[in-house]
Amino acid sequence: MAARTFSLILLPTLQCNADCDYCFEDKTDDRLSLARLEILIDKVLDHLVVKAIGALTIHWQGGEVMTLPPAWFDAAHRLIGTAAANRGVVVTHGLQTNMIGYGPRWNEVIREMFDNQVGTSVDYPNLYRHRHGKDAADYDRILTENIGQARAAGIEVRAIAVPNAQTLAIGAERFYDHVVGTLGIRSFQVNTPFPGGSPNAAKRDLSLDSAALTRFFVDLAEVWLARGDRDGVRVGPFDELLSVFLDAPSILPCIWTDDCANHILCIDARGNVAQCDCWVASYPDYWFGNLFDADSLDSLLAENPVRERFHQRPMALVARDCIDCDYLALCHGGCPVRTFSVHGTLFEKDPHCELYRSLFGHMAAAAARLARDAQRR
Ligand code: SF4
Ligand code: SF4
Ligand code: SF4
């Protein structure tokens, strides 16, 4: 069987123990039962067999995954392992959690199912993340304690960070010091913000000044190049971009894949299928269908008119907005949901285009510098 890998973003619960101001999710009480998970996973694996795809990574997200008990994940792990072995598909699991509900009772399942790693979200300074009726300081206190507790148990904690206006104000150096120095996180990725879902004041604040956001990304790349690369700290997307420009193996974030609809799919606790979590949570008009109503995932996806629009996007942009770009083969027009949340259409280039171009140029220059230095030695 071919070694191609497919990514499934699976939202087994739409409940959350937090109430972040910028959340794009329509949180409900829906949870996936193990019986429904078995049906869902059989259909996903059967689809991969038809497509001759031999490996699946399941990214478990919510809502908040830790509103389900560890025993549920233990049972899910065994159930999926049996179904995958029966079809000769290799399945790996990743966990993305806000860590507010983390405690030692999670350690065994994190070790057995998630290779002793968790991914969480870190905002610094935290303006928008909080529990219902509580403030950001309460959230930060619990998150910091739980990250420390998980790390003390030997778990590798990774993070996704989205800069806000105050992040840009404090600058890249202080941000890096907080994530790496204070929290002890040695692998994190910085994502560009986007106002997904229905508008509110917090999301309007996210429309960050492009020049300031670009400066922050470039400064953070420089901080990482000066300190992190040497200390074995990984900071995405800079590490992977550097690999691209050094002609080394790399795995770029989905925003720069040729066509994310070929590699990624999201299914929520009700069986709704869409491109990724923001689409399934916020834009019902862009659902591909419901897996529990369909005979198979194959029939649901075959000539699916919504999914077809995602496939058409890269070529449409190549023919128009991105044709003269030096980085077209790297970026492919950027991310559909970032585009849609700003422009209301798929058929525009990513609103962070200028940031990407600056960053690509910067990392290309850094790679050339490193290659020159290596030659001189
Ligand atoms: S933790 Fe995630 S799902 Fe929960 S409220 Fe915050 S952004 Fe939304
Ligand atoms: S829409 Fe954007 S975030 Fe979602 S899978 Fe595609 S590239 Fe990734
Ligand atoms: S950097 Fe901008 S112009 Fe270039 S491919 Fe990406 S979105 Fe298109």
Side-chain angles (χ1 to χ4, degrees):
M1 192 171 276
R4 277 197 299 148
T5 300
F6 196 81
S7 289
L8 171 66
I9 302 167
L10 188 52
L11 317 185
T13 170
L14 300 177
Q15 295 180 328
C16 189
N17 49 17
D19 189 23
C20 309
D21 299 332
Y22 57 21
C23 184
F24 54 63
E25 299 210 0
D26 182 16
K27 292 177 281 295
T28 70
D29 288 337
D30 291 293
R31 289 171 156 211
L32 192 60
S33 67
L34 287 167
R36 299 257 281 185
L37 174 67
E38 190 166 10
I39 297 168
L40 183 156
I41 218 70
D42 280 346
K43 289 184 177 180
V44 170
L45 290 171
D46 285 343
H47 173 69
L48 298 189
V49 170
V50 169
K51 297 291 178 193
I53 297 173
L56 171 68
T57 301
I58 304 179
H59 304 274
W60 296 87
Q61 298 178 198
E64 164 49 37
V65 279
M66 287 188 178
T67 58
L68 287 167
W72 188 92
F73 281 92
D74 186 41
H77 188 207
R78 281 185 274 114
L79 181 161
I80 294 168
T82 304
N86 288 341
R87 294 167 177 85
V89 176
V90 175
V91 179
T92 50
H93 302 273
L95 182 65
Q96 183 66 26
T97 164
N98 64 23
M99 290 194 77
I100 294 301
Y102 167 78
R105 68 196 185 108
W106 281 94
N107 290 355
E108 189 177 339
V109 82
I110 290 172
R111 187 173 57 245
E112 297 299 321
M113 184 171 178
F114 298 105
D115 200 23
N116 226 15
Q117 296 173 359
V118 294
T120 192
S121 300
V122 171
D123 288 13
Y124 184 70
N126 176 13
L127 303 182
Y128 306 117
R129 301 184 79 86
H130 58 90
R131 296 192 293 166
H132 190 70
K134 306 276 186 174
D135 61 13
D138 159 85
Y139 189 99
D140 287 347
R141 179 184 55 76
I142 297 171
L143 178 63
T144 305
E145 276 174 18
N146 288 352
I147 288 174
Q149 203 178 161
R151 290 186 58 238
I155 294 167
E156 183 187 351
V157 181
R158 301 177 172 194
I160 291 174
V162 180
N164 58 48
Q166 283 193 21
T167 316
L168 308 192
I170 63 161
E173 192 100 31
R174 274 183 64 191
F175 174 78
Y176 183 95
D177 283 342
H178 177 77
V179 177
V180 178
T182 306
L183 298 178
I185 291 173
R186 300 185 60 75
S187 178
F188 66 100
Q189 174 170 315
V190 192
N191 283 356
T192 47
F194 64 96
S198 38
N200 66 20
K203 291 178 198 176
R204 274 189 291 278
D205 284 351
L206 288 177
S207 313
L208 297 171
D209 169 48
S210 179
L213 191 62
T214 301
R215 196 162 51 246
F216 176 81
F217 268 75
V218 168
D219 287 351
L220 188 60
E222 277 304 311
V223 173
W224 173 70
L225 284 162
R227 295 163 56 180
D229 197 24
R230 185 191 58 212
D231 296 343
V233 174
R234 310 278 309 173
V235 182
F238 317 121
D239 51 356
E240 298 294 350
L241 283 175
L242 193 66
S243 295
V244 167
F245 292 114
L246 288 170
D247 284 332
S250 61
I251 302 174
L252 286 171
C254 61
I255 57 170
W256 295 323
T257 49
D258 53 348
D259 176 359
C260 62
N262 281 334
H263 314 289
I264 301 166
L265 200 68
C266 179
I267 307 176
D268 77 8
R270 298 163 295 198
N272 295 318
V273 181
Q275 181 48 44
C276 64
D277 47 333
C278 188
W279 293 105
V280 87
S282 306
Y283 302 115
D285 289 350
Y286 282 78
W287 290 349
F288 300 161
N290 187 290
L291 191 56
F292 296 124
D293 296 340
D295 292 337
S296 67
L297 183 55
D298 244 23
S299 61
L300 188 152
L301 295 180
E303 294 171 31
N304 186 292
V306 179
R307 193 170 184 239
E308 207 42 48
R309 292 164 77 182
F310 283 85
H311 288 318
Q312 288 163 359
R313 179 175 183 270
M315 281 317 292
L317 293 180
V318 167
R320 209 187 58 202
D321 299 339
C322 303
I323 183 74
D324 295 324
C325 178
D326 291 342
Y327 303 108
L328 177 58
L330 180 58
C331 172
H332 307 97
C335 165
V337 81
R338 281 166 174 73
T339 301
F340 187 83
S341 66
V342 171
H343 297 298
T345 171
L346 293 178
F347 296 99
E348 293 282 345
K349 62 183 179 178
D350 191 308
H352 292 296
C353 167
E354 288 307 319
L355 185 160
Y356 300 159
R357 279 153 86 111
S358 297
L359 191 59
F360 296 152
H362 197 81
M363 296 314 292
R369 216 165 51 224
L370 286 173
R372 265 197 317 274
D373 291 351
Q375 268 178 356
R376 283 198 201 112
R377 270 186 231 124

